[in-house]
Amino acid sequence: MNKPADLPIGVTADAPALQPQVGVSRAHEAAHLHVSGEAVYIDDIAEAHGTLHAALGLSPIAHGTLVSIDVEQLRRQPGVVAVLTAADIPGENNCGPLVHDDPILADGELRYVGQPVYAVIATDRELARRAAAMAKQFIVATPLPAVLTAREAHAIGQCVIPPMHLARGDAAAAIAAAPHRLDGEWAVGGQEQFYLEGQISYALPQENQALLIHCSTQHPSEMQQLVAHALGWQSHQVTVQCRRMGGGFGGKESQSALFACVAAIAAQRLRRPVKLRIDRDDDFLVTGRRHGFDYRWSVGFDPEGRILGAEIDLISNCGHSADLSAPVMARALCHFDNAYWLPNVSMHGYGAKTHTQSNTAFRGFGGPQGALAIEMILDGIARRIGLDPLLVRQRNFYREGQDVTPYGQRVEDNLIGPLTDRLIETSGYHARRAEIAAFNATSPVLKRGLALTPVKFGISFNVVHLNQAGALVHVYTDGSVLVNHGGTEMGQGLNTKVAQVVAHELGVPVSQVRASATDTSKVANTSATAASTGSDLNGKAAQDAARKIRQRLAPLAARLLGGAEDALVFDGGEVRAGARAVGFKELVAKAYLERIQLWSDGFYATPGLHWDRAKLQGNPFFYYAFGAAVAEVLVDTLTGETRVLRADVLHDVGQSLNPALDIGQVEGAFVQGQGWLTSEELVWHPQTGLLLTHAPSTYKIPTANDMPRDFRVALYDAPNAADSIHRSKAVGEPPLLLPFSVLLAIKDAVAACGPQRCDPPLRAPATPEAVLDAVDAVRA
């Protein structure tokens, strides 16, 4: 074949080795921008001429009837341009994602201390905040009794969602017939997301009755829809963009809507750009967080610690509205089994309505709250019969013939046994158990504890229709590539992984691929970046788009190189057929001249999912991710102070797309989960309902000093049996359950202060006060 003069084709003696773009560690695509301060977040966007600033006036009482707002006095405050109340909302006064029970601004009823009642729009942010802070002075309300705890609300039947029940077998009969029985009550607190970038939205009016909204959100499409509803508009009039977030963790999935709606309503009403950025204290007071759970259980078991029957009530503190409480409870019920076969089980989920912030998504989305209960139960069983809790866990593991969950899904590709066995060996668990027993026998004040806990976590949205994604891939005539997808980047490296996937499909270096801002005008009707599905869904959609482009280029490349289309190799920035090659850039330029389409859309819907929400039965998950962790702690029994001396983690991410990013996610999840269970305590004033822990001075997230002194994280490298993107597995949420080992290691250390077979009543979070109370209890 004659070589075209305008298309140089190289000839090599031997085909070079492939240059993989996935499965290798690469830096986060914006890491250099993060460390240099050049990464642009919403508050860094240059403000348009005439930008106004909004602030929220918050309810000073936990429950009451709103009588009036002195709007005229508020308008007279310095710099104030307008004051918005519920009466000024042209469309629906709702920012709730599922049940329309969450007003943007209070209308008639005040539901919690911190509920937005009005919005002040001013020429300056500080002036807006000063006027908004006069809520106590300008709001007239009639107080009503407030319910502040989930137990109290449950006792009087006050709920935001109907009860949920999930059962298999006859739990009551199995418990009654069992040789041993354990009854217990316990509770775990909620957790603030504490994203470093607070909630913010910036709304800019566009021509012909349209708005562009820059919003720090995990769910741009939902923001688009809720803003449209609030304005009484159609969705095509609203465009929502998000280049990146400074963290989300679920707190910007549904609850960014209030801020987007207020900014949008003000911008449309005043025909001026409006920015709403609240400070950390107000963020705590306005928004919800991880649901706290109360538990009551009865369990029957045999002398070897195998569970024969279990019955449990799970009572979640939902706050004043439904938000995402229904799917959170559904996931909690579906994860109560964690890694264990429960032949007879009866679970009852109740969503309590309290006069507090409406709780919402948080990394794990109910899964951690469900799985933590069974871990506490198994630990209690082991202590009562005098066995190592690890042995009791292993005896209850899912295994062949006992591998169907209570909701009817088979646990396929079950890695929990071999993964745990490997971690036991690499961590030296048994030798360390003996060393710790010897240490505790001679140390009256300092006590050490050790625990190993496993994880089985289902991957997919509980709601089947959310498991879909779209993407656009553009190839330019210089060979560079732009990808846009429906996922949002919140620091987790989603854009990096998607760029790697596209680079791999087109055979170009990842440096040639750029991911652009998430934008509802580019990829429509997207799902939230949540449920650990970001890479699974958007990676597959982007792969689909890139493959379509590759398939369009293949006939041209085959014709130029004289080879068969199915023998072409796209790799290393060129396309090869045997010993002949053409550069990708040159091929693309030729394709443009021949009018071959160089852009494509892509779509992906997760296969094999079905779910009966009424019966809580089906196949809600595409696959399971597994993991295990061993934690060793030191407890000072005089002060209650604890330290994590060492943590050994082995986590299953399938065939990793990017091991460096995945290890970082595991490390971050471990420390975040450790904070939830040890230091992050939420406290409301029992009379006023004010959240007292509403700032970093009183709410203690973990710092670098709280990380395990010796932190060993490894990936269990086995390809996913399911057809996921490059056989990888999700990594966002599952590892948050690994630090159960820290809480139970602390409990193990406290148990060393009491008689054999004692079961310390350790609260979570295991703050120094909680530890001291548990020490006193076992010593008594």
Side-chain angles (χ1 to χ4, degrees):
M1 184 182 73
N2 294 326
K3 184 174 71 173
D6 61 344
L7 189 71
I9 298 176
V11 179
T12 56
D14 297 298
L18 294 178
Q19 301 175 29
Q21 301 300 319
V22 296
V24 295
S25 293
R26 296 189 182 279
H28 189 289
E29 48 100 23
H32 62 294
L33 303 177
H34 294 157
V35 298
S36 67
E38 296 176 84
V40 175
Y41 296 89
I42 290 174
D43 206 33
D44 299 317
I45 297 172
E47 292 181 1
H49 178 71
T51 293
L52 300 173
H53 295 264
L56 300 172
L58 309 180
S59 169
I61 63 174
H63 188 208
T65 302
L66 178 61
V67 176
S68 65
I69 307 167
D70 195 339
V71 174
E72 291 306 316
Q73 285 293 333
L74 282 166
R75 285 175 179 154
R76 294 191 185 104
Q77 301 307 309
V80 173
V81 175
V83 178
L84 302 181
T85 67
D88 298 307
I89 298 174
E92 184 182 13
N93 183 16
N94 170 68
C95 57
L98 301 177
V99 182
H100 291 200
D101 65 344
D102 198 346
I104 299 166
L105 297 174
D107 185 8
E109 181 188 13
L110 299 181
R111 302 180 176 188
Y112 66 97
V113 176
Q115 180 183 8
V117 179
Y118 59 83
V120 172
I121 319 300
T123 56
D124 176 84
R125 180 171 179 267
E126 286 307 309
L127 293 175
R129 291 183 65 223
R130 287 178 184 274
M134 295 179 176
K136 287 185 179 179
Q137 184 176 341
F138 296 134
I139 291 176
V140 178
T142 303
L144 294 171
V147 177
L148 301 177
T149 69
R151 281 181 177 265
E152 182 185 357
H154 180 64
I156 61 176
Q158 189 166 291
C159 58
V160 298
I161 55 174
M164 299 182 183
H165 305 283
L166 173 56
R168 173 170 61 191
D170 190 336
I175 294 168
H180 300 283
R181 176 174 177 143
L182 173 66
D183 298 298
E185 294 187 2
W186 196 63
V188 63
Q191 184 182 21
E192 171 64 35
Q193 287 91 354
F194 214 102
Y195 25 71
L196 292 182
E197 177 199 31
Q199 298 279 5
I200 181 171
S201 285
Y202 185 25
L204 297 100
Q206 307 292 293
E207 65 177 21
N208 195 23
Q209 288 286 91
L211 277 176
L212 168 62
I213 303 174
H214 297 282
C215 181
S216 186
T217 180
Q218 296 171 236
H219 202 343
S221 287
E222 186 170 81
M223 299 308 104
Q224 176 191 33
Q225 294 161 11
L226 289 170
V227 166
H229 293 163
L231 292 172
W233 283 4
Q234 298 182 74
S235 292
H236 68 69
Q237 294 173 268
V238 181
T239 299
V240 177
Q241 285 186 5
C242 180
R243 177 64 186 90
R244 62 172 57 85
M245 286 168 278
F249 307 114
K252 295 176 181 176
E253 182 175 344
S254 62
Q255 298 212 349
S256 46
L258 188 151
F259 310 96
C261 288
V262 169
I265 293 165
Q268 173 58 19
R269 183 181 181 89
L270 301 172
R271 301 302 300 163
R272 299 264 297 273
V274 176
K275 181 188 288 186
L276 173 53
R277 172 171 65 87
I278 61 174
D279 65 11
R280 184 67 61 182
D281 290 79
D282 285 351
D283 201 322
F284 266 79
L285 291 174
V286 172
T287 64
R289 45 199 59 86
R290 184 189 297 281
H291 295 67
F293 269 58
D294 286 86
Y295 311 93
R296 297 183 300 217
W297 61 67
S298 296
V299 180
F301 55 97
D302 67 18
E304 294 185 316
R306 293 185 183 88
I307 292 178
L308 304 175
E311 186 159 10
I312 185 169
D313 292 342
L314 299 92
I315 306 166
S316 67
N317 185 346
C318 300
H320 73 92
S321 70
D323 197 88
L324 295 169
S325 294
V328 165
M329 178 57 75
R331 187 170 278 268
L333 294 171
C334 289
H335 282 78
F336 172 67
D337 63 321
N338 194 18
Y340 311 109
W341 162 251
L342 304 176
N344 300 280
V345 60
S346 181
M347 295 173 270
H348 314 283
Y350 304 98
K353 180 178 181 178
T354 60
H355 295 110
T356 61
Q357 294 82 1
S358 187
N359 289 321
T360 188
F362 194 125
R363 196 175 192 174
F365 201 77
Q369 295 97 310
L372 184 54
I374 194 67
E375 294 299 337
M376 295 300 296
I377 289 169
L378 286 169
D379 194 80
I381 289 171
R383 297 191 182 284
R384 279 164 173 77
I385 59 179
L387 294 176
D388 186 334
L390 171 59
L391 178 60
V392 172
R393 288 187 168 87
Q394 289 176 305
R395 286 175 175 172
N396 283 281
F397 277 169
Y398 277 111
R399 52 182 49 86
E400 189 173 353
Q402 299 177 340
D403 56 1
V404 178
T405 66
Y407 47 90
Q409 180 163 349
R410 187 170 299 280
V411 182
E412 298 177 337
D413 192 32
N414 183 5
L415 303 177
I416 198 64
L419 186 149
T420 303
D421 290 343
R422 184 187 299 180
L423 182 63
I424 291 170
E425 180 181 354
T426 58
S427 67
Y429 176 88
H430 292 296
R432 290 166 63 194
R433 172 63 74 192
E435 292 170 6
I436 288 170
F439 173 87
N440 288 339
T442 60
S443 177
V445 174
L446 299 178
K447 299 291 184 181
R448 286 159 62 187
L450 188 71
L452 186 154
T453 57
V455 173
K456 173 185 68 67
F457 198 91
I459 303 300
S460 289
F461 284 98
N462 294 66
V463 182
V464 172
H465 73 260
L466 296 179
N467 295 284
Q468 59 176 299
L472 293 173
V473 173
H474 293 180
V475 176
Y476 296 98
T477 54
D478 64 352
S480 64
V481 182
L482 185 72
V483 57
N484 184 274
H485 57 86
T488 54
E489 175 63 56
M490 60 191 102
Q492 81 278 40
L494 174 59
N495 284 342
T496 307
K497 287 185 173 181
V498 171
Q500 287 179 265
V501 168
V502 172
H504 178 85
E505 290 302 317
L506 298 178
V508 300
V510 74
S511 59
Q512 278 183 232
V513 182
R514 177 184 288 262
S516 60
T518 312
D519 188 323
T520 58
S521 67
K522 291 184 170 60
V523 178
N525 309 319
T526 59
S527 298
T529 304
S532 304
T533 61
S535 297
D536 281 8
L537 296 179
N538 296 288
K540 276 284 194 179
Q543 182 186 58
D544 180 46
R547 281 182 174 174
K548 290 175 181 175
I549 297 171
R550 177 171 162 166
Q551 288 164 4
R552 293 182 195 133
L553 292 172
L556 173 61
R559 177 160 50 88
L560 294 172
L561 297 172
E565 290 182 30
D566 58 3
L568 294 173
V569 176
F570 285 69
D571 179 62
E574 61 184 18
V575 182
R576 296 193 296 272
R580 298 176 62 80
V582 58
F584 183 79
K585 177 180 178 180
E586 288 74 27
L587 178 63
V588 166
K590 180 65 174 175
Y592 173 73
L593 295 177
E594 297 203 8
R595 296 185 297 177
I596 294 173
Q597 183 179 336
L598 292 173
W599 62 270
S600 183
D601 65 310
F603 182 76
Y604 176 73
T606 310
L609 303 180
H610 58 90
W611 182 241
D612 187 323
R613 282 193 282 179
K615 297 179 180 178
L616 299 183
Q617 292 291 309
N619 267 50
F621 306 122
F622 188 33
Y623 61 84
Y624 294 99
F626 299 89
V630 176
E632 181 178 347
V633 303
L634 183 68
V635 173
D636 186 332
T637 61
L638 295 181
T639 65
E641 180 186 3
T642 61
R643 292 183 182 176
V644 183
L645 301 178
R646 177 176 163 183
D648 295 72
V649 171
L650 184 58
H651 194 70
D652 162 39
V653 297
Q655 194 164 274
S656 175
L657 290 173
N658 187 320
L661 290 181
D662 286 345
I663 288 174
Q665 285 291 290
V666 174
E667 292 172 339
F670 189 95
V671 174
Q672 190 170 50
Q674 177 186 319
W676 170 45
L677 296 173
T678 61
S679 66
E680 298 183 43
E681 185 173 29
L682 294 161
V683 179
W684 283 264
H685 192 288
Q687 278 79 48
T688 66
L690 172 67
L691 178 64
L692 299 175
T693 50
H694 58 80
S697 57
T698 49
Y699 184 80
K700 295 300 182 182
I701 64 171
T703 69
N705 291 332
D706 297 303
M707 290 184 64
R709 299 293 195 269
D710 185 353
F711 201 7
R712 309 182 188 192
V713 176
L715 302 179
Y716 189 84
D717 191 13
N720 192 351
D723 183 21
S724 60
I725 183 69
H726 288 284
R727 301 289 175 171
S728 64
K729 286 189 179 182
V731 71
E733 293 174 306
L736 193 130
L737 284 67
L738 295 169
F740 290 177
S741 57
V742 173
L743 177 67
L744 291 168
I746 294 172
K747 185 181 176 187
D748 187 55
V750 172
C753 299
Q756 286 193 356
R757 301 194 180 188
C758 71
D759 189 13
L762 180 63
R763 303 191 302 272
T767 61
E769 295 87 349
V771 171
L772 286 179
D773 286 347
V775 169
D776 289 343
V778 298
R779 284 179 171 167

